[in-house]
């Protein structure tokens, strides 16, 4: 797959300097295409993003305010001022932030700037889900049964839901990205779900209005990429299947949609183009449809919403069409006609995108923050593409979306089924090639997801993750014996390297006292390395094998175990005993991966004749020595256990029974009563973080002794929120 040949914008273009009103991956993505068109790029950044990758890539960058998005990336006045100061004639909003803000589009026009997006009128028409559905009904686009009106009285909405029939979906009228959405199974649950939706919608969009729709069981989410220019042309660039979701947020996207027939593609594509024409659309947009569970046979589909911007998942469309959609955006904004007509567009092969996030799937996908101490990605090729806004050493902060990268794979294949099978195989391989340390990621979760039978067999719907929960959300397995042996090898090789450095710096590099080869005058040498894997301690007993070949400082070979060397060893050999088995282990250091703050010890290790290529990242903190083992496509976090340093493993809970904040946020509701007996899993409070609500629940039966924060107060990551006492300890408390 290759992008269409790129020619610069014509000399009559209306702009040559572009300000990118965004950050992260999409800002870097826009810079890449704009540069190919000969356009000068201006980045904007908050104080938290001063050293961000998009800032480093741009031709010029300007600070627009503090870390809080509302004071920087969402401040239209600051963005317009930055454009004026840097001489930009156009602004690309990317996605998120102000990309679908009609007032910002109007402000750009008033300032004489080109907004790389649709007209403000089109954004307004589609910005309200209820108003958009009225327009779509008039245009003849099929709609899901529901209530999309202006009456927002809670009792009235409850009655509408009762009339539609449960389950229903409450959805923020101004929403997107899965925020402000709740599925309600029964009338008795409606009021609480509505209140939660309104809070989340108000926080995310400044608008608490909602609409009610029938919730389709096992629906598919299929969207069409549309493009229109100012000359009256409008096309679609085929569909994407975005059914694999959690919390109404997309996890995997693929194109074309499995099972799509030419007839259904034509019908949905025509509906998408009709929807765009109905609002006088110009630029890139996406028409999202929801399809019945029997879509493969019936073909029934309904309009869901229109996203008046570029989508996160646009690369899968680029991979199957060979087109650069950001280039199309820039050309259309410059006044050019669409590069291709509908009949010139073709589908080639199959593409799948996986979103790599710093988040913990085992803890409800809570974002993980920290420094990327190791970020090694699969090799890019015609089949593998990586779009990222961060590099090794960068920070994942609590201020913004925790995306690390998008992994996109493509395969040609002799048939549509063969192309998807090939793309899926490439995706599995690529996921196994990631190396990330410093934050928790969803990579292992994605690996299990793409391997599950439902996804492999294209049995897709928006509830797939829940249907396959037992396969996807497995409890953390104990590290295999090979991983423990590799961790030990990493320690031994690191010690050898430290000894060689010390020997070279000493006055006598030949001294046997500088050696780390286990030589003893009369006895063989043995020692024990201990690792903590979850709650268990595992010993690896090391016996040095003196028959290993070494490199001497002079470059000659030595086959005995005495002396020191200043060069890298050709190989090292030990007898390692672990879990009752003894193995002969040989290891050889390989060329290091690119430099990082936590260097990865990358080596080839042979265990009883079986060869593995592995790396170990060592992260040493006060009282804590973490070791991340990467081998055979798996990742295993371990702790080097040293009794002298009281290394302690475990969760975030405090020793006095407190429950801690999983991330920075604001307390928005206290749900339990102090002293009231509670069952395990009972909701205690709601924490709002990253514009999403997270419920903190009781870890076991017990009572709340006190809440440490009040509603409205901000809390930091790891802050103790609740003093909680287990039931068996309650009588003892009364004795005090």
């Amino acid at each position: 797959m290759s992008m269409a040949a790129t020619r610069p914008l014509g000399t009559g273009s209306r702009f040559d300097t572009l300000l990118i009103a965004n950050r992260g991956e999409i800002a870097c993505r826009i810079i890449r295409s704009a540069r190919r068109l000969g356009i000068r790029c201006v980045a904007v950044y908050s104080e938290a993003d001063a050293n961000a990758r998009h800032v480093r890539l741009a031709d010029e960058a300007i600070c627009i305010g503090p870390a809080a998005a509302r004071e920087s990336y969402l401040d239209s006045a600051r963005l317009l001022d930055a454009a004026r100061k840097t001489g930009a004639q156009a602004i690309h909003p990317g996605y998120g932030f102000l990309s679908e803000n009609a007032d910002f589009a109007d402000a750009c026009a008033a300032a004489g700037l080109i907004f790389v997006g649709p007209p403000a009128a089109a954004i307004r028409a589609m910005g309200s889900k209820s108003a958009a559905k009225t327009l779509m009904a008039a245009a003849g686009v099929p709609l899901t049964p529901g209530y999309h009106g202006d009456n927002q009285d809670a009792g009235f909405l409850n009655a509408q839901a009762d009339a539609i029939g449960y389950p229903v979906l409450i959805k923020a009228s101004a929403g997107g990205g899965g925020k402000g959405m709740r599925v309600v199974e029964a009338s008795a649950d409606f009021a609480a779900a509505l209140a939660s939706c309104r809070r989340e919608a108000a926080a995310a969009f400044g608008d608490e209005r909602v609409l009610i729709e029938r919730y389709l069981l096992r629906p598919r989410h299929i969207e069409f990429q549309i493009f229109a220019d100012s000359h009256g042309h409008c096309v679609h660039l085929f569909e994407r299947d975005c059914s694999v979701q959690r919390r109404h947020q997309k996890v995997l996207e693929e194109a074309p949609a499995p099972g799509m027939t030419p007839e259904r593609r034509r019908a949905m594509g025509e509906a998408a183009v009709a929807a765009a024409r109905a609002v006088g659309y110009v630029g890139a947009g996406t028409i999202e449809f929801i399809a019945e569970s029997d879509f493969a046979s019936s073909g029934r589909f309904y309009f869901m919403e229109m996203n008046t911007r570029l989508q996160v998942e646009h690369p899968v469309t680029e991979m199957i069409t060979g087109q650069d959609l950001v280039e199309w955006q820039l050309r259309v904004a410059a006044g050019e006609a669409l590069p291709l007509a509908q009949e010139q567009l073709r589908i080639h092969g199959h593409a799948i995108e996986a979103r790599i996030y710093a988040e913990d799937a085992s803890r409800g996908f809570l974002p993980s923050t920290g420094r990327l101490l190791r970020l090694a990605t699969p090799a890019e090729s015609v089949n593998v593409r990586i779009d990222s806004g961060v590099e090794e050493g960068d920070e994942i902060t609590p201020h913004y979306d925790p995306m690390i990268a998008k992994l996109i794979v493509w395969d040609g294949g002799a048939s549509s089924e063969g192309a998807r099978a090939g793309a899926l195989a490439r995706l599995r391989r690529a996921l196994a090639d990631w190396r990330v340390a410093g934050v928790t990621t969803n990579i292992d979760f994605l690996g299990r997801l793409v391997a599950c039978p439902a996804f492999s067999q294209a049995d897709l719907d928006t509830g797939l993750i829940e249907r396959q929960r037992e396969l996807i959300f497995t409890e953390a397995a104990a590290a295999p014996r090979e991983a423990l042996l590799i961790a030990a090898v990493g320690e031994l090789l690191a010690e050898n390297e430290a000894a060689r450095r010390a020997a070279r710096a000493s006055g006598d590099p030949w001294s046997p006292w500088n050696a780390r080869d286990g030589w003893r005058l009369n006895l063989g040498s043995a020692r024990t390395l201990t690792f903590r894997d979850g709650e268990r301690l595992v010993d690896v007993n090391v016996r040095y094998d003196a028959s290993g070949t070494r490199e001497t400082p002079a470059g000659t070979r030595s086959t005995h175990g005495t002396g020191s060397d200043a060069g890298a060893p050709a190989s090292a050999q030990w007898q390692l005993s672990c879990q009752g088995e003894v193995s002969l282990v040989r290891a050889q250091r390989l060329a290091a991966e690119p430099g990082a703050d936590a260097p990865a010890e990358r080596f080839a290790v042979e265990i009883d004749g079986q060869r593995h290529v592995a790396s170990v990242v060592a992260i040493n903190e006060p009282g804590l020595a973490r070791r991340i083992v990467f081998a055979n496509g798996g990742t295993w976090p371990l702790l080097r256990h040293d009794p002298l340093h009281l290394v302690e493993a475990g969760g975030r809970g405090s020793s006095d029974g407190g429950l801690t904040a999983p991330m920075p946020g604001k307390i928005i509701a206290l749900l339990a009563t102090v002293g009231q007996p509670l069952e395990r899993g009972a909701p205690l409070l709601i924490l709002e973080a990253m514009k999403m609500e997270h419920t903190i629940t009781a870890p076991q039966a017990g009572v709340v002794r006190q809440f440490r924060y009040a509603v409205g107060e901000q809390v930091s990551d790891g802050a103790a929120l609740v003093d909680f006492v287990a039931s068996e300890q309650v009588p003892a408390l009364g004795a005090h």
Side-chain angles (χ1 to χ4, degrees), residues 7-19:
R7 57 180 173 79
L9 291 182
T11 55
S13 170
R14 293 183 289 168
F15 63 92
D16 56 25
T17 299
L18 176 71
L19 183 136

Side-chain angles (χ1 to χ4, degrees), residues 100-431:
E100 294 181 281
N101 188 300
D103 291 340
F104 181 58
D106 275 337
C108 288
L113 297 167
I114 296 170
F115 180 75
V116 183
I123 298 175
R124 286 194 178 92
M126 290 300 190
S128 168
K129 287 183 170 60
S130 56
K133 291 187 186 263
T134 301
L135 280 170
M136 293 303 100
V141 180
L143 298 180
T144 308
Y147 176 74
H148 313 117
D150 295 327
N151 190 336
Q152 294 291 299
D153 176 75
F156 176 81
L157 292 174
N158 204 152
Q160 293 298 309
D162 293 344
I164 294 167
Y166 295 92
V168 299
L169 179 66
I170 306 175
K171 186 188 302 184
S173 289
K179 299 179 178 67
M181 298 176 70
R182 297 290 186 277
V183 176
V184 185
E185 301 284 351
S187 183
D189 303 326
F190 186 87
L194 176 62
S196 179
C197 262
R198 282 176 162 168
R199 286 194 302 266
E200 199 166 277
F205 314 112
D207 185 346
E208 67 171 16
R209 291 175 301 160
V210 301
L211 54 85
I212 314 296
E213 291 183 340
R214 187 177 78 189
Y215 185 71
L216 303 181
L217 299 176
R218 295 198 61 180
R220 285 178 66 179
H221 182 144
I222 299 174
E223 61 188 31
F224 269 69
Q225 176 71 58
I226 62 95
F227 237 105
D229 61 26
S230 56
H231 303 276
H233 307 118
C234 186
V235 301
H236 69 81
L237 287 89
F238 314 111
E239 79 280 359
R240 300 183 286 257
D241 193 306
C242 306
S243 299
V244 183
Q245 303 176 7
R246 53 96 179 162
R247 291 181 179 175
H248 306 290
Q249 291 182 310
K250 299 163 187 173
V251 178
L252 299 172
E253 303 96 358
E254 57 183 305
M260 179 69 75
T261 65
E263 295 76 21
R264 294 185 190 113
R265 178 174 291 122
R266 186 179 307 111
M268 296 181 80
E270 288 173 355
V273 170
R277 290 190 182 278
V279 293
Y281 203 79
V282 175
T286 301
I287 308 296
E288 301 200 357
F289 297 106
I290 194 164
E292 294 271 19
S293 57
D294 62 351
F295 171 77
S297 56
S298 73
R300 284 193 295 270
F301 64 92
Y302 309 102
F303 173 83
M304 186 164 57
E305 63 183 359
M306 181 178 190
N307 289 302
T308 54
R309 54 173 168 80
L310 197 67
Q311 292 282 88
V312 177
E313 58 271 21
H314 75 273
V316 293
T317 296
E318 294 183 326
M319 296 291 267
I320 66 164
T321 61
Q323 304 303 311
D324 182 334
L325 298 190
V326 173
E327 177 183 337
W328 278 43
Q329 283 188 297
L330 296 172
R331 291 194 182 281
V332 167
E336 295 185 15
L338 292 179
L340 297 174
Q342 189 67 63
E343 60 272 14
Q344 294 175 294
L345 291 163
R346 297 286 185 273
I347 294 175
H348 304 283
H350 197 96
I352 308 175
E353 175 179 296
R355 304 185 187 191
I356 310 296
Y357 274 98
E359 62 184 12
D360 190 343
S362 67
R363 301 176 65 208
F365 297 96
L366 287 177
S368 174
T369 58
R371 194 176 188 190
L372 292 167
L373 299 171
R374 168 63 49 186
L375 179 57
T377 65
E380 292 195 72
S381 67
V382 69
N383 298 103
V384 178
R385 167 177 165 180
I386 297 167
D387 286 9
S388 181
V390 294
E391 295 176 332
E392 193 166 278
D394 288 347
E395 291 273 349
I396 301 295
T397 74
H399 305 294
Y400 313 113
D401 186 84
M403 181 186 286
I404 295 174
K406 298 183 309 196
L407 168 65
I408 310 100
V409 297
W410 174 87
D411 192 84
S415 65
S416 58
E417 294 80 7
R420 186 178 190 271
L424 185 54
R426 293 183 188 280
L427 179 59
R428 291 170 179 161
R429 178 66 261 168
L431 286 170

